Amino acid sequence: MKYDKDAAAIIAAVGGEENIASLYHCVTRLRFGLKDNAKADQAALTAITPVMGVNEAGSQYQVIIGNDVPDVYRAIVAELPRLATGDSVDGAAAARTGGKQKLHTRFLDFISGTFAPILPAIAGAGLLKGILALSNSFGWVDPASQTFLIFSAIADAVFFFLPIVVAVSAARKLGANPYVAASLGGTLVYPALGALLGAGEAVHLLGITVTAATYSYSVIPVLLGVYLLSWVERGFTKIIPSFLKLTFVPMLSLVVVVPITLTLLGPLGTFVGSGIAGGINWALDNGGVPAGFVIGALLPLIIMTGMHYTLVPFILQNLATLGYDKFLPLTYIQTFATAGAVFGVFLRAKNKQIKALSLSTTFTSLMGVTEPALYGLALPLRRPLIATMAGAGVGGAISLGFGVKAYVLAGNGGLPGLPGLVGETFVWAIVGIVIAFIVAAVVSTILGIDESILAGTAEKSAAATPAAMRADAVTAPRHSASDIGEIVSAPMTGELVSLDDVPDTTFSKRLVGDGTAIRPTSGTVTSPVDGVVATLFPTKHAVAVRGDSGVEVLIHVGLDTVNLKGAGFAAHVAVGDRVSVGDLLLEVDLAAVGATHDTLSVIVITNSAKYTVDPGTTGPVRAGDALIRVTPVVAATQEATV
């Protein structure tokens, strides 16, 4: 293997095998979870040929490689196969980094980091449950048929075994062994134990009473259990000799944690979860129209901050214990109110670009994706945001006023997710949704928009753009286009930030290449050049496009966002796809990503050694604006000598 010797040298330079707790890689760097960062030898590392630099981010030790990082990673894993799973990577790092974060930040990070990875399974199964319910309601299927029963099993399984699914995800987040955690979750839903606890007779464990409880569909008890497991496991790992760890650490951890979970944490979690869910449900049940209006009106702001993720455990508990939830319908209403508000923008806009953008974001909102509308139009123009809140408030008042319920977590608040509302209150759900859309559209139309805000942004952007980058300079007749270079367009809308001010030395020291950064206000990422998608990282947080002229542009969305493992990112291209300037590459849920990571995004020319790179560094910028002028070094030299 090409990097065999380099891999061995890197392992030795980070303190040896025994100092490596975990390893994974992103687009450009190896990300080590080291037991002791002080044992890493920075000078030795930077002396290794493929190593471009090192960086410490929190407790994570990063070795910057560049484009060859997958090959170097594979060489290291070939030396140390135990690093291949990556299961403890996030957790170990997060668990240690978490100690430096504020309590509420750690809690939000833990909840979102635990539930975001499992939402696809829950949403997929939930939507299937909704379709089955819809089919049953219209008499399209026989609910007693074997086919219906099998599809019902597919839809129900993830919810019945939810403690196992949550245990695995939480363990990865906390740095515990996910398979030992799965054993803990499996114990809680073990059929014989469930029958014992449900028999109606007193159950004792070593003389201690075990509270009768049903843990299928539950969330809070297993979260508490896995949290305890993460500490117990680390404690046994420290004191048990290495040759006994494989069997004794998991065995002793389960023997300690499972009884405590059954006798203490499980009942406590059930009590706390029921109490909090009961409080939320009380407000939803008794707040009526006023509560519906207030919660509905504030929901766009809550979603933009990512705080709605903290409600996911209680929504799941409601669905498990009550069979319905009253908060979920409000999320549908917010989605359609957003669509209505930007549709109002479409009706009032005179600028063709704003008109086209508002119509396209109306469609994406109806499909359940509101971020382009919220961050691309509603937030910058402000009045559509007010219209969204008005529509969501009125729709929310109708929803809680008539007790609208959702019966499954469909994972989509737009048209595709409507089966999740099918039930006895479905008609009122549709009424609330339609009125939310109409009210938001009417208010948005009445309020109108100040198109100069977006137009002004473009003008300011042009003013902030170096003169050499502006169109008149590019089309100056003195040189051919190839001599003058190529304009790299902005892939995102937001505020320009100098690469020098990026809090990541990999980028600020231009180890990956020269360029600039954008603090985005929209989650839409478009192609900066005409060319071909050269790289799309599996976690979708970074994409590179090779331009027709040869310039290679890397767009890295957010800092350390590789840790999210794709949560919050959606790719609309694949490697090898042909793209033009402005084509959609990625969509990013900025609210969700921003809840745990810095969304500051970097745009660099990875082969900048071949070019003179002249980036814009300050002021607002819109996707499609001129951002960076790249001139071949030879051409620049010739120009300088003329």
Side-chain angles (χ1 to χ4, degrees), residues 166 218-225 265-266 268-270 272-274 313-314 317:
V166 171
S218 69
V219 173
I220 306 297
V222 77
L223 285 177
L224 295 175
L265 298 180
L268 177 64
T270 302
V272 172
S274 299
F314 307 110
Q317 179 159 322

Side-chain angles (χ1 to χ4, degrees), residues 383-604:
R383 293 174 190 168
L385 180 60
I386 296 173
T388 300
M389 297 174 69
V394 174
I398 294 172
S399 180
L400 289 194
F402 289 94
V404 173
K405 303 168 185 173
Y407 298 91
V408 295
L409 178 58
N412 184 301
L415 292 172
L418 287 182
L421 298 173
V422 173
E424 59 183 4
T425 59
F426 184 65
V427 172
W428 287 114
I430 297 300
V431 170
I433 285 171
V434 171
I435 290 182
F437 180 91
I438 293 173
V439 169
V442 170
V443 172
S444 180
T445 304
I446 293 174
L447 291 178
I449 55 173
D450 181 1
E451 296 184 49
S452 65
I453 294 175
L454 293 181
T457 298
E459 291 167 3
K460 292 175 184 176
S461 178
T465 302
M469 295 169 55
R470 292 201 287 269
D472 54 351
V474 174
T475 56
R478 187 178 176 192
H479 303 284
S480 67
S482 60
D483 288 341
I484 290 184
E486 181 177 358
I487 294 298
V488 175
S489 299
M492 307 178 79
T493 296
E495 191 77 17
L496 282 172
V497 176
S498 170
L499 211 56
D500 295 325
D501 297 327
V502 174
D504 185 324
T505 53
T506 302
F507 296 118
S508 62
K509 291 183 178 178
R510 293 165 174 75
L511 297 177
V512 181
D514 200 358
T516 188
I518 296 175
R519 187 166 295 286
T521 55
S522 169
T524 300
V525 182
T526 58
S527 179
V529 294
D530 295 337
V532 175
V533 176
T535 304
L536 176 63
F537 203 67
T539 53
K540 306 179 185 64
H541 73 288
V543 59
V545 179
R546 183 181 298 111
D548 293 337
S549 65
V551 65
E552 297 174 357
V553 186
L554 171 67
I555 306 164
H556 192 288
V557 182
L559 301 179
D560 293 322
T561 43
V562 66
N563 294 328
L564 293 173
K565 294 187 175 180
F569 295 90
H572 292 267
V573 292
V575 173
D577 282 358
R578 176 80 192 170
V579 293
S580 300
V581 174
D583 285 353
L584 182 62
L585 301 177
L586 307 174
E587 283 188 306
V588 185
D589 184 342
L590 285 181
V593 173
T596 55
H597 290 71
D598 190 340
T599 58
L600 184 62
S601 301
V602 174
I603 300 92
V604 294

Side-chain angles (χ1 to χ4, degrees), residues 94 97-113 173 307 310 594-597:
T97 305
K100 300 176 182 178
Q101 297 175 330
K102 293 181 179 178
L103 182 61
H104 73 279
T105 302
R106 293 167 58 188
F107 176 74
L108 183 62
D109 178 60
F110 172 58
I111 293 297
S112 62
K173 189 64 183 171
M307 292 297 293
T310 58
T596 55
H597 290 71

Side-chain angles (χ1 to χ4, degrees), residues 192-332:
L193 180 61
L196 178 65
L197 294 176
E201 299 179 359
V203 178
H204 296 89
L205 174 63
L206 301 175
I208 301 173
T209 300
V210 178
T211 303
T214 301
Y215 293 109
S216 293
Y217 301 90
S218 69
V219 173
I220 306 297
V222 77
L223 285 177
L224 295 175
V226 174
Y227 184 76
L228 175 63
L229 175 68
S230 68
W231 287 97
V232 172
E233 198 176 60
R234 278 197 286 270
F236 281 129
T237 300
K238 290 181 179 178
I239 63 176
I240 292 179
S242 298
F243 67 97
L244 295 176
K245 285 180 181 178
L246 179 64
T247 53
F248 279 86
V249 169
M251 183 196 75
L252 293 175
S253 297
L254 287 172
V255 166
V256 170
V257 173
V258 172
I260 294 177
T261 302
L262 288 174
T263 58
L264 177 62
L265 298 180
L268 177 64
T270 302
F271 175 77
V272 172
S274 299
I276 297 175
I280 295 172
N281 289 333
W282 183 90
L284 296 174
D285 288 336
N286 299 284
V289 171
F293 183 84
V294 172
I295 296 174
L298 294 178
L299 199 52
L301 305 180
I302 293 172
I303 290 176
M304 287 167 68
T305 60
M307 292 297 293
H308 59 302
Y309 276 105
T310 58
L311 296 175
V312 172
F314 307 110
I315 291 172
L316 291 173
Q317 179 159 322
N318 280 339
L319 294 175
T321 57
L322 302 176
Y324 63 84
D325 179 76
K326 290 186 177 181
F327 181 80
L328 274 176
L330 300 179
T331 63
Y332 286 76

